[in-house]
């Protein structure tokens, strides 16, 4: 079900900014570049806002019911986006779709978190990430082909149909797993703040997860479709080039998870992933643009694959006290918003950079952000370890 849903969601990845360009723009005093990035940013911002509620509902209703509940706004959102006439319409219905995305994602992640053991946390989360990336690879390519053949709007309707299929699969096959809620169901915000008060935990979120999402959405979702279109690439070619990221990530997800589970090298993997991602962006300085984009996407995919499962697995095992009180699904629902906030910032940052310095230097600047974040993360990791974080998967080389 998760694969089918991601396939549906990713059908539009390769053309969302280009579709927004075809709609009537509101007179908000913003540049067109920023306006066409807003649908991506708002989508992830709403996911961030909805994720804590999704975590609470999973604890109370169970994963299957939350998935089914999320399918309703997801289907409605895709159908109405297909009929959007203005960028404001697109923003509104992408918000509705995002609520469904948050519910479905937290339901699936909570299901895994409720059955995984700490010793196999990264390996289990690698299944989650690889499912997402397989769906993303297939969806990106198929969506680009469909958009070229039947148009943007009809492709959104195909997404709605696939979400309905995913819901049927959930109803048929997913056990109604429930992550038990803690006694203080109203203490979600306190639990989150309690986790983030630890500097090493905060470093994972602020200098690990968030920069990775900023670069992913800013570079892959916003810059790549527009930049390649400006270079003369057609929609199918844009989809194939964007697919490189997902394929590269799939190659290293399980390898990275194995390293983390066996040797406890999660922090080192996150650091090197950031550094190499930044260096990959420098290819724009000495290679032809299309070839450089392909190289940058390949390196970014390989690095994110090495780090992603480890980053997801660290969260449930950070502190036994928060996990025991809130339940693993609720904890995931509290930490995930930080990643999605980074995803929301990515297109806005990219749009501002593109308007100021152009596509090439904007990509290089995002690479510099990855390097700076990785260095700060490593420095914080080098601080004396707080006793509370000596649990589960949070190990360093």
């Amino acid at each position: 079900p998760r694969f089918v849903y991601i396939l549906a969601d990713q059908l539009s990845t390769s053309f969302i900014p280009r579709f927004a360009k075809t709609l009537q723009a509101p007179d908000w005093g913003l540049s067109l570049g920023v306006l066409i990035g807003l649908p991506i940013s708002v989508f992830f911002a709403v996911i961030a806002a909805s994720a804590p509620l999704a975590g609470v509902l999973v604890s109370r209703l169970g994963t299957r019911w939350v998935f089914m509940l999320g399918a309703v706004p997801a289907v409605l959102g895709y159908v109405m986006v297909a009929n959007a006439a203005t960028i404001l319409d697109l923003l509104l219905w992408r918000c509705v779709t995002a609520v469904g995305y948050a519910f479905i994602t937290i339901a699936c992640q909570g299901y895994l978190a409720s059955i995984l053991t700490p010793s196999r946390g990264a390996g289990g989360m690698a299944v989650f990430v690889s499912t997402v990336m397989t769906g993303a690879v297939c969806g990106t390519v198929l969506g680009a082909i469909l958009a070229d053949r039947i148009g943007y709007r009809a492709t959104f309707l195909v997404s709605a149909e696939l979400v309905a299929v995913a819901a049927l699969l959930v109803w048929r096959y997913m056990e109604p797993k429930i992550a038990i809620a803690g006694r203080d169901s109203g203490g979600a915000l306190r639990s989150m703040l309690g986790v983030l008060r630890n500097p090493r935990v905060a470093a994972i979120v602020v200098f690990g997860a968030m920069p990775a999402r900023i670069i992913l959405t800013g570079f892959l979702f916003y810059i790549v479709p527009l930049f390649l279109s400006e270079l003369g690439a057609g929609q199918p070619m844009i989809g194939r080039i964007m697919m490189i990221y997902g394929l590269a990530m799939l190659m290293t997800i399980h390898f990275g998870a194995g390293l983390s589970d066996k040797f406890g090298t999660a922090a080192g993997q996150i650091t090197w992933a950031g550094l190499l991602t930044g260096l990959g962006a420098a290819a724009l300085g000495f290679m032809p643009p299309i070839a450089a984009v392909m190289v940058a996407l390949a390196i970014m995919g390989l690095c994110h694959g090495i780090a992603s499962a480890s980053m997801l697995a660290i969260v449930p095992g950070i502190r036994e006290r928060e996990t025991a009180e809130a339940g693993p699904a609720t904890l995931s629902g509290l930490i995930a918003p930080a990643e999605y906030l980074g995803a929301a910032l990515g297109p806005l940052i990219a749009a501002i950079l593109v308007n100021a310095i152009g596509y090439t230097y904007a990509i290089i600047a995002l690479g510099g952000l990855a390097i700076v974040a990785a260095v700060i993360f490593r420095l914080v990791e080098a601080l004396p370890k707080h006793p509370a974080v000596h649990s589960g998967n949070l190990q360093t080389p």
Side-chain angles (χ1 to χ4, degrees):
R2 178 64 174 160
F3 166 80
V4 176
Y5 175 74
I6 292 297
L7 176 66
D9 181 72
Q10 295 295 307
L11 289 181
S12 57
T13 298
S14 66
F15 62 77
I16 277 283
R18 300 183 69 192
F19 175 62
K21 256 186 173 182
T22 68
L23 304 177
Q24 181 181 342
D27 185 13
W28 291 346
L30 300 174
S31 68
L32 180 61
V34 172
L35 285 173
I36 64 177
L38 283 179
I40 304 173
S41 294
V42 168
F43 180 78
F44 286 107
V46 173
I47 293 174
S50 305
L53 174 60
V56 172
L57 289 177
V58 164
S59 296
R60 294 183 176 181
L61 303 178
T63 52
R64 183 167 66 180
W65 280 109
V66 174
F67 194 112
M68 299 294 294
L69 188 63
V72 175
V75 171
L76 176 63
Y78 286 124
V79 171
M80 297 308 295
V81 164
N83 294 282
T86 68
I87 290 179
L88 182 58
D89 294 337
L90 179 59
L91 288 173
L92 172 62
W93 295 113
R94 286 297 284 171
C95 288
V96 174
T97 307
V99 173
Y101 187 103
F103 279 32
I104 290 171
T105 298
I106 297 302
C108 293
Q109 197 168 335
Y111 186 90
L112 274 182
S114 67
I115 61 176
L116 291 178
T117 59
S119 63
R120 300 192 63 183
M125 286 301 176
V127 175
F128 180 86
V129 177
S130 60
T131 300
V132 171
M133 293 314 304
T134 303
V137 168
C138 297
T140 300
V141 176
L142 290 176
I145 295 172
L146 286 173
D148 186 58
R149 300 287 178 88
I150 64 176
Y152 299 141
R153 297 178 185 275
T155 303
F156 283 115
L157 295 178
V158 175
S159 293
E161 294 168 357
L162 286 173
V163 174
V165 171
L168 290 174
L169 290 173
V170 164
W171 183 255
R172 176 65 179 85
Y173 294 108
M174 182 181 279
E175 297 177 13
K177 254 329 186 185
I178 298 178
I180 304 301
R183 294 181 182 178
D184 182 12
S185 59
L189 181 59
R190 292 197 302 273
S191 297
M192 181 177 183
L193 294 177
V195 171
L196 294 178
R197 276 197 297 265
N198 186 302
R200 295 179 67 241
V201 175
I204 293 170
V205 175
V206 177
F207 301 111
M210 287 185 68
R213 290 294 187 125
I214 288 172
I215 294 162
L216 174 63
T217 58
F219 178 43
L220 180 63
F221 292 175
Y222 180 83
I223 290 180
V224 169
L226 296 174
F227 188 31
L228 292 179
S229 177
E230 190 174 277
L231 293 173
Q235 188 63 52
M237 182 183 219
I238 292 173
R240 287 193 293 269
I241 291 176
M242 292 180 70
M243 176 185 69
I244 292 173
Y245 170 82
L247 287 175
M249 191 171 179
L250 281 171
M251 292 172 61
T252 54
I253 287 174
H254 290 282
F255 174 69
L259 286 179
S260 178
D261 278 340
K262 188 173 183 179
F263 301 107
T265 56
Q269 290 169 217
I270 294 170
T271 301
W272 281 105
L275 293 174
L276 293 176
T277 295
L279 293 176
L284 269 293
F286 56 88
M287 293 181 67
I290 292 181
V293 167
M294 295 170 69
V295 169
L297 287 175
I299 293 175
M300 186 171 75
L302 292 171
C303 292
H304 283 185
I306 289 288
S308 59
S310 303
M311 204 174 296
L312 280 173
I314 282 176
V315 173
I318 285 173
R319 293 178 65 184
E320 293 180 357
R321 180 172 177 270
E322 281 76 14
T323 303
E325 290 181 356
T330 303
L331 186 61
S332 296
L334 294 171
I335 299 301
E339 293 185 301
Y340 289 117
L341 283 175
L345 290 172
L348 295 180
I349 293 173
I352 292 170
L353 289 173
V354 168
N355 285 340
I357 56 179
Y359 287 108
T360 298
Y361 290 108
I363 295 171
I364 294 173
L366 288 175
L369 171 64
I371 293 174
V372 170
V375 170
I376 296 175
F377 173 77
R378 183 72 263 180
L379 292 175
V380 175
E381 276 292 309
L383 295 174
K385 297 178 183 177
H386 192 285
V389 298
H390 282 292
S391 64
N393 298 319
L394 189 58
Q395 305 174 43
T396 53

